[in-house]
Amino acid sequence: MFNLILFGPPGAGKGTQAIKIAEKFGWKHISTGDILRAEVSQGTPLGLKVKAVMEAGHLVSDELLIEIMESVFVNNTTVTGFVLDGFPRTQKQAQELDQMLSTHGQKVSMVLALEVNEEELVKRLLKRAQDQGRKDDTEEVIKNRLVQYHHHTKPLIDYYKNKNLYTEVFGEGTIDQIFEQLCTVIKP
Ligand code: AMP
């Protein structure tokens, strides 16, 4: 079982690359952002709870994310690997993930980070706002999301470096160039 965390700031291209990696290696792509957006668009009680938080570019509570991930693991017992995209995003989530995996005799296999400079990130996020109409891709909200990343998520780099699990790949260039770089460092 290969548990890959695709790491990086919003706009780094995690979603695009996670889909391609999952397809190539036959693993399950889990995007917590997609899961949450589906709840919002279906108007479920969970969706109603998180809608405003997401639209403001803030982080949904660790408790909710951990519940979501527990059900992901319970419902996917036969897969050969996961590509986690957008989770973990806080120290607490990272610790809980380790805990969840260890109860199944597993661990994080690798943390692969996409490195993109901040100017390029904002440019990409604004373009995505035009193309996909995501409510959390307005300039104001983008700023918030980057602040959340720097404050809560970036410290995870050290968390995983200390465990010797962290690898960085340059996340600029064409989708295929970046994908090729990622594939050279993934060793299932
Ligand atoms: P994403 O599509 O990964 O950029 O996620 C969109 C939004 O969903 C984020 O800005 C958060 O509001 C929420 N979200 C997704 N994943 C997480 C997470 N692991 N922890 C907290 N909030 C999350």
Side-chain angles (χ1 to χ4, degrees):
M1 179 88 167
F2 201 86
N3 298 300
L4 172 68
I5 296 173
L6 202 54
F7 191 85
K14 298 189 295 295
T16 306
Q17 297 296 339
I19 290 168
K20 290 174 74 73
I21 293 168
E23 195 186 14
K24 179 179 161 89
F25 294 94
W27 297 333
K28 175 98 182 158
H29 171 216
I30 300 294
S31 157
T32 46
D34 285 351
I35 293 172
L36 289 166
R37 276 185 291 279
E39 297 280 344
V40 171
S41 70
Q42 288 162 24
T44 65
L46 172 61
L48 293 174
K49 213 162 154 181
V50 301
K51 187 171 189 278
V53 177
M54 289 178 73
E55 285 177 3
H58 293 130
L59 293 182
V60 172
S61 77
D62 289 334
E63 287 67 27
L64 280 179
L65 263 297
I66 288 153
E67 251 174 61
I68 288 170
M69 288 307 295
E70 261 162 2
S71 76
V72 163
F73 289 129
V74 166
N75 292 319
N76 290 283
T77 49
T78 57
V79 302
T80 57
F82 285 103
V83 185
L84 302 184
D85 153 18
F87 182 91
R89 259 177 157 102
T90 66
Q91 183 98 7
K92 168 99 175 143
Q93 290 177 18
Q95 285 163 346
E96 291 283 343
L97 175 63
D98 285 344
Q99 189 71 41
M100 273 187 263
L101 290 173
S102 80
T103 60
H104 298 100
Q106 293 191 44
K107 58 184 187 54
V108 172
S109 308
M110 163 176 221
V111 179
L112 199 43
L114 288 165
E115 197 218 325
V116 176
N117 84 65
E118 191 118 345
E119 210 176 301
E120 172 71 15
L121 288 177
V122 175
K123 214 166 75 188
R124 288 186 189 180
L125 289 165
L126 287 171
K127 182 166 185 315
R128 188 165 77 188
Q130 276 181 345
D131 297 348
Q132 299 177 8
R134 263 181 61 164
K135 286 214 174 75
D136 57 354
D137 277 343
T138 65
E139 205 156 351
E140 180 65 26
V141 177
I142 286 170
K143 256 189 236 148
N144 269 344
R145 295 172 66 211
L146 290 169
V147 168
Q148 301 292 318
Y149 171 76
H150 284 290
H151 193 72
H152 296 287
T153 311
K154 213 175 170 189
L156 293 185
I157 294 175
D158 281 339
Y159 180 81
Y160 289 116
K161 271 187 179 166
N162 286 336
K163 293 176 183 283
N164 271 329
L165 291 172
Y166 186 81
T167 304
E168 211 164 61
V169 160
F170 187 51
E172 296 182 37
T174 68
I175 290 173
D176 287 337
Q177 279 167 349
I178 299 161
F179 181 57
E180 218 172 279
Q181 290 296 309
L182 292 170
C183 289
T184 61
V185 293
I186 298 172
K187 306 250 178 341

